[in-house]
Amino acid sequence: MSEERIPREVEVAKENTLGDRGIFSRQMEAWEKALEDFKKLPEKVAAYKGRLGESADTLLEFLKLSDDISVAADSIVNYAQRKSDEDTAVAK
């Protein structure tokens, strides 16, 4: 019985790899900026403390912010997970 060698990522055509290029166009720099921006969100959320009952517009603003937080968190985590799945022998 012969053993098959699993090819390293650099040996595989890009279209057959886990593509993370569509999440952040400039890779690590964009991810780091998104993470820094994300760290500022608790301040924005805190600004709504005790105000959600003020008006429908205030509630809508908060719900949109909540949606933005979910999308940003998903992108940040998704990119980080994909980076951890890359060929660690060629980590940047």
Side-chain angles (χ1 to χ4, degrees):
M1 182 174 148
S2 67
E3 291 185 30
E4 288 188 40
R5 182 179 76 78
I6 297 173
R8 294 179 47 211
E9 184 178 12
V10 295
E11 300 171 333
V12 178
K14 286 291 182 195
E15 61 269 9
N16 296 326
T17 62
L18 294 172
D20 59 10
R21 279 69 181 161
I23 299 171
F24 293 105
S25 60
R26 292 200 54 144
Q27 301 293 20
M28 191 58 73
E29 301 96 17
W31 181 82
E32 288 172 348
K33 181 179 180 336
L35 184 59
E36 287 306 310
D37 291 346
F38 191 79
K39 290 177 182 179
K40 298 173 188 170
L41 291 174
E43 233 177 84
K44 291 183 178 183
V45 171
Y48 287 94
K49 184 177 181 178
R51 297 184 46 227
L52 295 181
E54 283 179 3
S55 69
D57 287 339
T58 301
L59 180 58
L60 180 60
E61 286 174 17
F62 177 79
L63 292 174
K64 287 180 179 180
L65 175 61
S66 178
D67 286 346
D68 292 344
I69 290 170
S70 294
V71 170
D74 185 54
S75 295
I76 290 167
V77 171
N78 189 349
Y79 181 81
Q81 288 173 328
R82 287 174 183 245
K83 290 302 278 182
S84 72
D85 290 338
E86 285 183 349
D87 183 356
T88 56
V90 188
K92 289 183 182 177

XYZ file of all heavy atoms in Angstrom:
726
model
N 0.848 -1.178 0.000
C 0.000 0.000 0.000
C 0.890 1.236 0.000
O 1.747 1.407 0.849
C -0.894 -0.039 1.239
C -1.838 1.100 1.307
S -2.933 0.834 2.727
C -3.201 2.493 3.172
N 0.690 2.104 -0.962
C 1.513 3.319 -1.041
C 0.810 4.466 -0.318
O -0.408 4.538 -0.274
C 1.771 3.697 -2.496
O 0.561 4.084 -3.086
N 1.625 5.342 0.246
C 1.074 6.510 0.937
C 1.030 7.683 -0.022
O 1.968 7.904 -0.773
C 1.938 6.872 2.140
C 1.871 5.855 3.240
C 2.652 6.303 4.467
O 2.751 7.519 4.703
O 3.167 5.423 5.166
N -0.075 8.416 0.019
C -0.185 9.610 -0.808
C 0.219 10.819 0.024
O -0.145 10.931 1.186
C -1.613 9.791 -1.307
C -1.986 8.796 -2.366
C -3.330 9.123 -2.981
O -3.615 10.314 -3.218
O -4.081 8.174 -3.212
N 0.963 11.706 -0.587
C 1.395 12.918 0.091
C 0.375 14.011 -0.165
O -0.074 14.218 -1.282
C 2.763 13.352 -0.459
C 3.335 14.564 0.213
C 4.696 14.926 -0.374
N 4.622 15.574 -1.663
C 4.310 16.863 -1.855
N 4.022 17.631 -0.842
N 4.283 17.369 -3.057
N -0.011 14.700 0.891
C -0.924 15.840 0.737
C -0.089 17.027 0.265
O 0.905 17.382 0.909
C -1.628 16.176 2.061
C -2.489 14.989 2.496
C -2.463 17.443 1.925
C -3.100 15.132 3.869
N -0.461 17.643 -0.856
C 0.345 18.765 -1.368
C 0.241 19.987 -0.465
O -0.783 20.222 0.183
C -0.259 19.051 -2.739
C -1.636 18.498 -2.675
C -1.608 17.377 -1.707
N 1.322 20.743 -0.407
C 1.316 22.003 0.329
C 0.473 23.008 -0.448
O 0.285 22.886 -1.655
C 2.740 22.519 0.488
C 3.569 21.597 1.383
C 4.987 22.038 1.550
N 5.076 23.446 1.863
C 6.099 24.219 1.498
N 7.098 23.718 0.828
N 6.121 25.491 1.823
N -0.023 24.018 0.248
C -0.913 24.990 -0.388
C -0.242 25.675 -1.580
O -0.880 25.932 -2.590
C -1.385 26.040 0.619
C -2.394 26.995 0.002
C -2.936 28.018 0.974
O -2.391 28.162 2.074
O -3.909 28.681 0.607
N 1.036 25.965 -1.473
C 1.733 26.640 -2.577
C 1.839 25.766 -3.819
O 2.119 26.256 -4.905
C 3.142 27.136 -2.149
C 3.026 28.215 -1.095
C 4.011 25.987 -1.679
N 1.596 24.467 -3.667
C 1.649 23.542 -4.797
C 0.283 23.331 -5.455
O 0.177 22.652 -6.463
C 2.176 22.177 -4.323
C 3.563 22.236 -3.730
C 3.980 20.935 -3.068
O 3.108 20.169 -2.607
O 5.186 20.693 -3.017
N -0.743 23.946 -4.883
C -2.113 23.759 -5.369
C -2.553 25.016 -6.118
O -2.257 26.131 -5.707
C -3.072 23.485 -4.182
C -4.502 23.345 -4.653
C -2.629 22.254 -3.414
N -3.274 24.829 -7.206
C -3.802 25.969 -7.971
C -4.700 26.812 -7.071
O -5.466 26.276 -6.268
C -4.582 25.473 -9.188
N -4.606 28.136 -7.190
C -5.369 29.055 -6.326
C -6.860 28.762 -6.319
O -7.514 28.882 -5.295
C -5.142 30.520 -6.748
C -3.799 31.056 -6.371
C -3.684 31.212 -4.873
C -2.338 31.792 -4.522
N -2.023 31.657 -3.114
N -7.418 28.362 -7.461
C -8.863 28.104 -7.513
C -9.257 26.867 -6.697
O -10.434 26.655 -6.419
C -9.366 27.978 -8.954
C -8.750 26.846 -9.743
C -7.492 27.230 -10.510
O -6.956 28.332 -10.321
O -7.041 26.407 -11.318
N -8.283 26.082 -6.274
C -8.565 24.892 -5.467
C -8.179 25.077 -3.992
O -8.076 24.108 -3.251
C -7.810 23.686 -6.037
C -8.292 23.326 -7.423
O -9.460 23.474 -7.739
N -7.391 22.866 -8.267
N -7.964 26.312 -3.584
C -7.604 26.585 -2.193
C -8.748 27.285 -1.478
O -9.701 27.731 -2.108
C -6.342 27.471 -2.100
O -6.598 28.723 -2.714
C -5.146 26.795 -2.751
N -8.634 27.372 -0.162
C -9.639 28.095 0.622
C -9.458 29.574 0.357
O -8.518 30.183 0.836
C -9.453 27.826 2.121
C -9.713 26.406 2.570
C -9.298 26.239 4.022
C -11.178 26.066 2.410
N -10.320 30.151 -0.420
C -10.160 31.545 -0.804
C -10.582 32.510 0.282
O -11.722 32.523 0.695
N -9.658 33.313 0.755
C -9.991 34.365 1.712
C -9.837 35.734 1.067
O -9.997 36.748 1.692
C -9.132 34.275 2.973
C -7.647 34.389 2.677
O -7.293 34.719 1.531
O -6.848 34.157 3.592
N -9.541 35.760 -0.213
C -9.254 37.015 -0.901
C -10.477 37.912 -1.021
O -10.356 39.114 -1.092
C -8.677 36.754 -2.290
C -7.188 36.435 -2.283
C -6.941 35.126 -1.679
N -5.527 34.765 -1.614
C -5.104 33.842 -0.799
N -5.918 33.227 0.007
N -3.843 33.504 -0.771
N -11.685 37.344 -1.003
C -12.882 38.152 -1.168
C -13.354 38.838 0.103
O -14.201 39.713 0.060
N -12.809 38.454 1.245
C -13.264 39.033 2.502
C -12.619 40.390 2.724
O -13.275 41.381 2.984
C -12.961 38.073 3.674
C -13.691 36.757 3.461
C -13.363 38.708 5.001
C -13.308 35.675 4.438
N -11.303 40.434 2.626
C -10.556 41.679 2.773
C -9.619 41.791 1.584
O -8.734 40.957 1.409
C -9.760 41.699 4.081
C -10.626 41.733 5.297
C -10.814 40.621 6.080
C -11.281 42.908 5.647
C -11.623 40.657 7.194
C -12.097 42.960 6.766
C -12.267 41.836 7.534
N -9.811 42.828 0.777
C -9.078 42.945 -0.480
C -7.566 43.105 -0.298
O -6.803 42.628 -1.104
C -9.638 44.098 -1.313
O -9.525 45.304 -0.596
N -7.120 43.783 0.735
C -5.675 43.953 0.944
C -5.187 43.090 2.095
O -4.251 43.448 2.799
C -5.340 45.415 1.186
C -5.582 46.241 -0.082
C -4.849 47.500 -0.032
N -3.444 47.214 0.225
C -2.454 47.882 -0.295
N -2.695 48.854 -1.102
N -1.210 47.586 0.006
N -5.839 41.975 2.267
C -5.458 40.965 3.225
C -5.251 41.473 4.650
O -6.148 42.036 5.238
C -4.218 40.214 2.729
C -4.421 39.541 1.416
C -5.414 38.394 1.505
O -6.211 38.300 2.417
N -5.404 37.537 0.534
N -4.089 41.249 5.186
C -3.852 41.459 6.611
C -4.052 42.911 7.042
O -4.610 43.169 8.106
C -2.438 40.987 6.980
C -2.191 40.926 8.463
S -3.328 39.854 9.392
C -2.747 38.253 8.907
N -3.638 43.876 6.232
C -3.802 45.291 6.622
C -5.282 45.628 6.807
O -5.665 46.291 7.765
C -3.193 46.245 5.600
C -1.717 46.063 5.352
C -1.447 45.181 4.144
O -2.347 44.958 3.310
O -0.306 44.695 4.041
N -6.100 45.175 5.890
C -7.537 45.459 5.961
C -8.170 44.740 7.149
O -9.045 45.296 7.822
C -8.222 45.053 4.656
N -7.717 43.521 7.421
C -8.256 42.780 8.563
C -7.898 43.495 9.867
O -8.744 43.649 10.746
C -7.707 41.353 8.573
C -8.233 40.538 9.710
C -9.431 39.893 9.763
C -7.593 40.308 10.968
N -9.570 39.260 10.983
C -8.450 39.502 11.741
C -6.373 40.693 11.514
C -8.131 39.074 13.016
C -6.054 40.269 12.791
C -6.932 39.474 13.528
N -6.654 43.944 9.978
C -6.232 44.646 11.188
C -7.022 45.945 11.384
O -7.408 46.282 12.499
C -4.737 44.926 11.146
C -3.912 43.665 11.345
C -2.423 43.859 11.118
O -2.014 44.910 10.584
O -1.668 42.944 11.477
N -7.281 46.667 10.285
C -8.076 47.890 10.384
C -9.504 47.570 10.812
O -10.084 48.241 11.659
C -8.079 48.659 9.070
C -8.888 49.955 9.180
C -8.887 50.749 7.920
C -9.677 52.024 8.005
N -10.738 52.130 8.978
N -10.079 46.528 10.227
C -11.443 46.119 10.590
C -11.509 45.730 12.070
O -12.476 46.062 12.760
C -11.898 44.952 9.714
N -10.466 45.074 12.561
C -10.439 44.691 13.968
C -10.342 45.924 14.867
O -11.037 46.018 15.882
C -9.263 43.752 14.233
C -9.141 43.189 15.641
C -10.392 42.408 16.024
C -7.905 42.315 15.747
N -9.516 46.895 14.484
C -9.414 48.139 15.263
C -10.743 48.893 15.261
O -11.161 49.409 16.290
C -8.288 49.024 14.721
C -6.907 48.515 15.056
C -6.699 48.269 16.541
O -7.010 49.165 17.354
O -6.247 47.166 16.893
N -11.395 48.966 14.101
C -12.717 49.616 14.021
C -13.732 48.880 14.893
O -14.572 49.504 15.542
C -13.214 49.663 12.568
C -12.405 50.604 11.698
O -11.633 51.425 12.239
O -12.529 50.507 10.457
N -13.648 47.563 14.904
C -14.579 46.755 15.686
C -14.428 47.039 17.182
O -15.410 47.045 17.924
C -14.348 45.269 15.393
C -15.410 44.373 15.938
C -16.619 44.229 15.279
C -15.210 43.679 17.114
C -17.610 43.411 15.780
C -16.198 42.851 17.627
C -17.394 42.715 16.957
N -13.216 47.281 17.608
C -12.953 47.552 19.025
C -13.605 48.859 19.491
O -13.794 49.059 20.693
C -11.454 47.607 19.287
C -10.781 46.258 19.176
C -9.276 46.389 19.365
C -8.580 45.062 19.208
N -7.111 45.193 19.373
N -13.970 49.728 18.566
C -14.614 50.999 18.904
C -16.133 50.869 19.038
O -16.793 51.792 19.512
C -14.296 52.050 17.831
C -12.820 52.361 17.714
C -12.538 53.262 16.539
C -11.030 53.407 16.322
N -10.730 54.078 15.069
N -16.676 49.757 18.637
C -18.135 49.581 18.625
C -18.790 49.583 20.001
O -19.913 50.085 20.117
C -18.513 48.332 17.838
C -18.250 48.440 16.332
C -18.506 47.107 15.654
C -19.106 49.532 15.717
N -18.162 49.068 21.044
C -18.831 49.142 22.359
C -19.192 50.574 22.769
O -20.231 50.805 23.393
C -17.808 48.528 23.315
C -17.054 47.571 22.461
C -16.952 48.261 21.119
N -18.353 51.523 22.381
C -18.638 52.936 22.653
C -19.925 53.375 21.953
O -20.757 54.078 22.529
C -17.478 53.791 22.136
C -16.890 54.739 23.139
C -15.714 55.471 22.525
O -15.949 56.483 21.834
O -14.584 55.022 22.748
N -20.066 52.973 20.699
C -21.265 53.336 19.932
C -22.513 52.685 20.535
O -23.564 53.311 20.608
C -21.106 52.920 18.468
C -20.081 53.731 17.715
C -20.026 53.330 16.259
C -19.031 54.184 15.506
N -18.995 53.872 14.080
N -22.381 51.442 20.959
C -23.515 50.751 21.572
C -23.895 51.435 22.879
O -25.083 51.649 23.164
C -23.181 49.251 21.807
C -24.250 48.581 22.640
C -23.016 48.526 20.475
N -22.897 51.803 23.670
C -23.154 52.446 24.966
C -23.916 53.761 24.814
O -24.676 54.151 25.701
C -21.836 52.683 25.697
N -23.753 54.416 23.674
C -24.450 55.684 23.436
C -25.972 55.503 23.386
O -26.714 56.470 23.545
C -23.950 56.327 22.142
N -26.420 54.278 23.193
C -27.867 54.005 23.125
C -28.443 53.570 24.467
O -29.646 53.360 24.580
C -28.142 52.934 22.065
C -27.994 53.458 20.662
C -26.789 53.333 19.974
C -29.053 54.099 20.029
C -26.646 53.827 18.692
C -28.918 54.595 18.747
C -27.716 54.453 18.084
O -27.573 54.948 16.811
N -27.606 53.460 25.495
C -28.085 53.011 26.799
C -29.184 53.949 27.322
O -29.001 55.162 27.398
C -26.936 52.961 27.801
C -27.349 52.402 29.143
C -26.178 52.291 30.087
C -26.650 51.707 31.400
N -25.549 51.527 32.337
N -30.322 53.366 27.628
C -31.451 54.128 28.150
C -32.190 54.953 27.115
O -33.081 55.728 27.462
N -31.853 54.804 25.835
C -32.463 55.640 24.795
C -33.322 54.872 23.798
O -33.958 55.484 22.946
C -31.348 56.342 23.991
C -30.499 57.277 24.789
C -29.483 58.010 23.910
N -30.102 58.525 22.697
C -29.582 58.373 21.468
N -28.451 57.741 21.291
N -30.206 58.864 20.412
N -33.349 53.565 23.864
C -34.039 52.795 22.823
C -35.532 53.061 22.770
O -36.151 52.896 21.727
C -33.768 51.295 23.004
C -32.310 50.872 22.803
C -32.181 49.370 22.980
C -31.795 51.294 21.441
N -36.107 53.522 23.863
C -37.531 53.825 23.881
C -37.859 55.250 23.480
O -39.035 55.635 23.453
N -36.862 56.043 23.148
C -37.077 57.454 22.766
C -37.987 57.592 21.553
O -38.904 58.390 21.540
C -35.745 58.146 22.450
C -34.929 58.535 23.639
C -33.611 59.187 23.224
O -33.367 59.392 22.007
O -32.821 59.495 24.129
N -37.638 56.840 20.521
C -38.412 56.948 19.282
C -38.142 55.731 18.399
O -37.180 54.994 18.612
C -38.027 58.219 18.506
O -36.709 58.099 17.997
N -38.982 55.588 17.411
C -38.791 54.496 16.455
C -37.494 54.691 15.680
O -36.797 53.718 15.362
C -39.985 54.423 15.503
N -37.140 55.934 15.378
C -35.908 56.205 14.640
C -34.671 55.790 15.444
O -33.724 55.227 14.888
C -35.811 57.690 14.274
C -36.784 58.077 13.168
O -37.231 57.179 12.426
O -37.089 59.285 13.044
N -34.689 56.082 16.751
C -33.562 55.697 17.604
C -33.429 54.182 17.649
O -32.317 53.650 17.534
C -33.747 56.255 19.032
O -33.853 57.671 18.961
C -32.587 55.876 19.931
N -34.546 53.498 17.797
C -34.521 52.042 17.810
C -34.018 51.497 16.482
O -33.194 50.576 16.447
C -35.910 51.480 18.119
C -36.018 49.953 18.166
C -35.080 49.353 19.204
C -37.464 49.541 18.436
N -34.477 52.069 15.386
C -34.025 51.627 14.064
C -32.525 51.834 13.897
O -31.824 50.950 13.386
C -34.788 52.358 12.957
C -34.401 51.988 11.523
C -34.638 50.504 11.254
C -35.175 52.858 10.532
N -32.009 52.976 14.314
C -30.561 53.235 14.251
C -29.788 52.162 15.008
O -28.774 51.650 14.522
C -30.233 54.602 14.860
C -30.595 55.786 14.021
C -30.359 57.093 14.788
O -29.634 57.086 15.818
O -30.902 58.121 14.363
N -30.284 51.844 16.216
C -29.608 50.831 17.018
C -29.646 49.466 16.347
O -28.648 48.731 16.348
C -30.220 50.742 18.416
C -29.590 49.662 19.243
C -28.360 49.872 19.847
C -30.213 48.434 19.414
C -27.756 48.875 20.595
C -29.619 47.434 20.158
C -28.389 47.655 20.751
N -30.787 49.107 15.777
C -30.908 47.809 15.113
C -29.997 47.727 13.891
O -29.407 46.676 13.615
C -32.365 47.539 14.730
C -33.306 47.313 15.917
C -34.746 47.201 15.437
C -32.899 46.094 16.720
N -29.845 48.835 13.171
C -28.915 48.860 12.037
C -27.474 48.705 12.523
O -26.681 47.993 11.915
C -29.079 50.156 11.234
C -30.344 50.192 10.405
C -30.450 51.489 9.631
C -31.698 51.522 8.770
N -31.830 52.787 8.009
N -27.150 49.374 13.622
C -25.825 49.231 14.215
C -25.592 47.785 14.636
O -24.520 47.215 14.396
C -25.660 50.165 15.418
C -24.363 50.033 16.219
C -23.148 50.341 15.354
C -24.399 50.940 17.439
N -26.596 47.168 15.228
C -26.498 45.773 15.636
C -26.229 44.864 14.433
O -25.397 43.957 14.502
C -27.788 45.350 16.339
O -27.736 43.993 16.691
N -26.916 45.124 13.330
C -26.678 44.355 12.103
C -25.249 44.570 11.602
O -24.572 43.614 11.203
C -27.666 44.754 11.004
C -29.067 44.229 11.247
O -29.241 43.344 12.109
O -29.993 44.722 10.570
N -24.786 45.816 11.621
C -23.421 46.125 11.182
C -22.384 45.393 12.039
O -21.371 44.907 11.529
C -23.153 47.629 11.226
C -23.959 48.401 10.188
O -24.489 47.780 9.246
O -24.047 49.639 10.332
N -22.648 45.322 13.331
C -21.743 44.619 14.251
C -21.683 43.136 13.888
O -20.602 42.539 13.837
C -22.186 44.822 15.711
C -21.940 46.263 16.134
C -21.466 43.851 16.637
C -22.556 46.640 17.471
N -22.836 42.546 13.618
C -22.878 41.123 13.257
C -22.098 40.846 11.976
O -21.331 39.880 11.900
C -24.325 40.658 13.083
O -25.001 40.705 14.309
N -22.282 41.686 10.977
C -21.585 41.498 9.704
C -20.085 41.675 9.896
O -19.274 40.878 9.390
C -22.128 42.477 8.630
C -21.256 42.471 7.394
C -23.562 42.124 8.274
N -19.676 42.695 10.641
C -18.252 42.942 10.877
C -17.623 41.793 11.658
O -16.537 41.315 11.304
C -18.068 44.260 11.623
N -18.299 41.333 12.693
C -17.767 40.222 13.497
C -17.627 38.965 12.648
O -16.612 38.258 12.728
C -18.670 39.957 14.693
N -18.617 38.693 11.818
C -18.569 37.517 10.957
C -17.376 37.581 10.011
O -16.648 36.595 9.838
C -19.875 37.379 10.179
C -19.920 36.102 9.370
O -19.722 35.024 9.958
O -20.152 36.174 8.148
N -17.146 38.731 9.405
C -16.026 38.881 8.469
C -14.679 38.732 9.169
O -13.777 38.067 8.665
C -16.087 40.240 7.771
O -17.223 40.319 6.958
N -14.552 39.349 10.329
C -13.291 39.290 11.076
C -12.983 37.851 11.491
O -11.867 37.357 11.295
C -13.356 40.228 12.299
C -13.334 41.682 11.828
C -12.198 39.950 13.259
C -13.696 42.686 12.905
N -13.972 37.167 12.045
C -13.767 35.796 12.504
C -13.552 34.854 11.326
O -12.674 33.987 11.360
C -14.954 35.333 13.374
C -14.882 33.851 13.678
C -14.985 36.134 14.664
N -14.342 35.022 10.272
C -14.229 34.170 9.092
C -12.825 34.258 8.502
O -12.197 33.246 8.187
C -15.284 34.578 8.057
C -15.384 33.607 6.905
O -14.564 32.730 6.719
N -16.417 33.787 6.102
N -12.320 35.469 8.351
C -10.972 35.651 7.796
C -9.929 34.990 8.695
O -9.037 34.288 8.218
C -10.673 37.136 7.628
C -9.306 37.411 7.039
C -9.098 37.330 5.674
C -8.228 37.744 7.850
C -7.855 37.575 5.123
C -6.981 37.996 7.313
C -6.801 37.909 5.951
O -5.563 38.140 5.409
N -10.032 35.210 10.006
C -9.068 34.627 10.939
C -9.099 33.100 10.873
O -8.046 32.450 10.896
C -9.351 35.110 12.359
N -10.284 32.526 10.770
C -10.387 31.071 10.677
C -9.764 30.556 9.388
O -9.066 29.544 9.389
C -11.848 30.634 10.765
C -12.424 30.781 12.147
C -13.910 30.505 12.202
O -14.639 30.756 11.254
N -14.362 30.000 13.339
N -10.008 31.241 8.298
C -9.423 30.812 7.025
C -7.905 30.936 7.047
O -7.204 30.096 6.501
C -10.004 31.611 5.861
C -11.426 31.215 5.549
C -12.005 32.126 4.480
N -13.373 31.804 4.228
C -13.815 31.331 3.061
N -12.979 31.149 2.071
N -15.077 31.068 2.901
N -7.390 31.997 7.665
C -5.936 32.154 7.763
C -5.331 31.005 8.567
O -4.249 30.526 8.244
C -5.557 33.486 8.413
C -5.839 34.716 7.568
C -5.137 34.692 6.242
C -3.707 35.149 6.317
N -3.065 35.164 4.991
N -6.037 30.548 9.600
C -5.492 29.454 10.408
C -5.531 28.123 9.658
O -4.846 27.186 10.033
C -6.243 29.338 11.734
O -7.532 28.811 11.537
N -6.332 28.039 8.596
C -6.411 26.822 7.794
C -5.388 26.786 6.662
O -5.260 25.770 5.989
C -7.811 26.674 7.173
C -8.867 26.353 8.206
O -8.508 25.847 9.288
O -10.048 26.627 7.955
N -4.680 27.879 6.451
C -3.695 27.930 5.377
C -2.497 27.045 5.714
O -2.313 26.602 6.841
C -3.213 29.356 5.143
C -4.198 30.221 4.441
C -3.657 31.612 4.159
O -2.596 31.983 4.677
O -4.326 32.323 3.411
N -1.659 26.879 4.750
C -0.413 26.133 4.910
C 0.454 26.886 5.911
O 1.005 27.945 5.603
C 0.264 26.007 3.553
C 1.536 25.173 3.608
O 1.929 24.764 4.715
O 2.103 24.926 2.547
N 0.600 26.359 7.091
C 1.352 27.067 8.132
C 2.849 27.105 7.861
O 3.579 27.838 8.499
C 1.099 26.449 9.521
O 1.418 25.054 9.473
C -0.347 26.642 9.935
N 3.300 26.322 6.900
C 4.712 26.368 6.532
C 5.031 27.638 5.746
O 6.184 28.016 5.588
C 5.079 25.142 5.705
N 3.984 28.320 5.242
C 4.183 29.518 4.445
C 3.385 30.669 5.063
O 2.766 31.449 4.391
C 3.726 29.302 2.978
C 4.119 30.475 2.094
C 4.295 28.010 2.420
N 3.377 30.757 6.362
C 2.617 31.814 7.037
C 3.302 33.164 6.856
O 4.516 33.273 6.919
C 2.481 31.489 8.519
N 2.484 34.203 6.608
C 3.019 35.552 6.483
C 2.814 36.267 7.786
O 1.843 36.108 8.445
C 2.294 36.318 5.374
C 2.646 35.812 4.007
C 1.963 36.647 2.948
C 2.283 36.095 1.575
N 1.610 36.785 0.526
